[in-house]
Amino acid sequence: MRLLVVGSGAREHAIVWKLSISPKKPEIFVAPGNAGTGALAINVPIALDDIDKLILFAKENDIDLTVVGPEIPLVNGIVDRFQNEGLRIFGPSQKAARIEGSKSFSKEIMRAANAPTAPFMVFDNYSDARKYVLEHGAPIVIKADGLAAGKGVVVAQSIDDALEALHNMMIENIFGFSGHRVVIEDCLSGPEVSVFCFSDGKNTSSLVAACDYKRAYDGNEGPNTGGMGGYSPPPWWSHNLEQEIKETCIQPVIDQLALDGSPYVGVLYGGLMLTEQGPSIIEFNARLGDPEAEFILPRLENDLIDVIDAVLDGNLENLQLRWENDFVVGVVIASGGYPGTYQTGYIIEGSNEKSDDGMIFHAGTQLRDGVISTAGGRVLTAIGKAATMEGARASAYKLVRSVKFTGKEFRTDIAQF
Ligand code: AMP
Ligand code: GLY
């Protein structure tokens, strides 16, 4: 069996690792990959959004199955393009991926499904949006409709901040076309949790839950990042909460997408807020999270290839998805200065350390003249796994300490309660 994984982050390293331990012993290619994936698979220098070249590679190399990590190729229609060429690929179609690629589409689907989410309005016109903000008052949340590399949401505590966000998105075009349409919604509060499930378009698997840390510095200070670490499962996660979220937030949305003619096949990622009125959906993503994949996949007991086959064959009903009870903690190690400007090209020591209960997934790493060096903002995710959160945290931080490179940065309070 020959597999192609698309992407280059720690999420993709985790996917490659999980596929590599399949009893089916697949041969794995990664486009473009990183130094970590290169140790388990063959990296091929094709950009993750170069769909033409990816199709050519899959054809010329008899790839049996392609697995897509990041949102950009999904939203750009990689799944439809592969399928039109008769190639087997795991991920939602372009129409279904609008659940992540267009916040207004996503909110309309939630509304039609009667799934709990903040009340909202959609605007294509700056002066109407401005008028609405002035009437509504703060706090208020402004969201660019399209993809904005995780930066398209402003939770505005004042009217001035909200108006500035609108101006930036709709007039200054800071997110280009993505910000020409905005969703403006009410501000909710409560603890946040991310849930992930597999769907074959009709059936959904059990949910797995994780929490992440978005701010750069300890104590949730500093700028927002792609994610500095997290854990799975949350200590307070329960079967009842899982059932409630599945019944109110997930299955109705999967059913609505099917009714809409956009059946959802792949991993659905729900970002939720647990408000006093119950769980409410903040957003959907069309893929595994990064860093969440790094602390979820080590808990998956099934062979990932079996799960993907069940999804693609519309046979998820007959698959029992099993998650280990262990806790997994993941700590992101970043380049000094991230998420602002940072330097790359520093030699990394200890990036391939592992222990009985921990390992390191690579993100921004590169093999240069046989030496592993930094090549991005988020460089590595160290994970630890144990029967207790404390144990998992200790194992993860032990690996964090064994890594050395100039400017190394990480949060010291991941999974500290
Ligand atoms: P997103 O990019 O949609 O994940 O949003 C980023 C963050 O903004 C979320 O994780 C929440 O913390 C916050 N956020 C988004 N929507 C709301 C909302 N309606 N009320 C309060 N906070 C929100
Ligand atoms: N961890 C946030 C994301 O993957 O979008």
Side-chain angles (χ1 to χ4, degrees), residues 393-409:
R393 178 178 144 76
S395 302
Y397 275 105
K398 198 167 160 209
L399 288 175
V400 170
R401 281 191 299 274
S402 69
V403 170
K404 294 190 173 57
F405 62 83
T406 305
K408 168 188 163 191
E409 266 182 13

Side-chain angles (χ1 to χ4, degrees), residues 11 71 100 150 194 196 212 214 225-227 269 283 285 287-293 295 378:
R11 165 182 51 210
E71 62 276 18
E100 171 161 7
S194 298
F196 299 85
D212 73 335
K214 291 196 171 70
T225 69
Y269 164 171
E283 62 161 359
N285 295 314
R287 52 180 171 80
L288 282 169
D290 191 352
E292 290 85 347
F295 34 89
R378 289 190 291 179

Side-chain angles (χ1 to χ4, degrees), residues 103 141 143 153 155 185-188 192 214 282-283:
K103 298 219 187 264
V141 182
K143 300 184 169 182
V153 175
V155 181
E185 66 180 34
D186 290 7
C187 191
L188 305 178
E192 289 184 53
K214 291 196 171 70
I282 294 290
E283 62 161 359

Side-chain angles (χ1 to χ4, degrees), residues 3 36 56 117 130 194 202 211 244 262 329 356 385 413:
L3 308 178
L56 198 63
T117 189
R130 193 169 182 281
S194 298
K202 194 167 151 226
C211 292
E244 182 185 359
S262 319
V329 171
D356 289 345
K385 181 161 157 234
D413 63 348

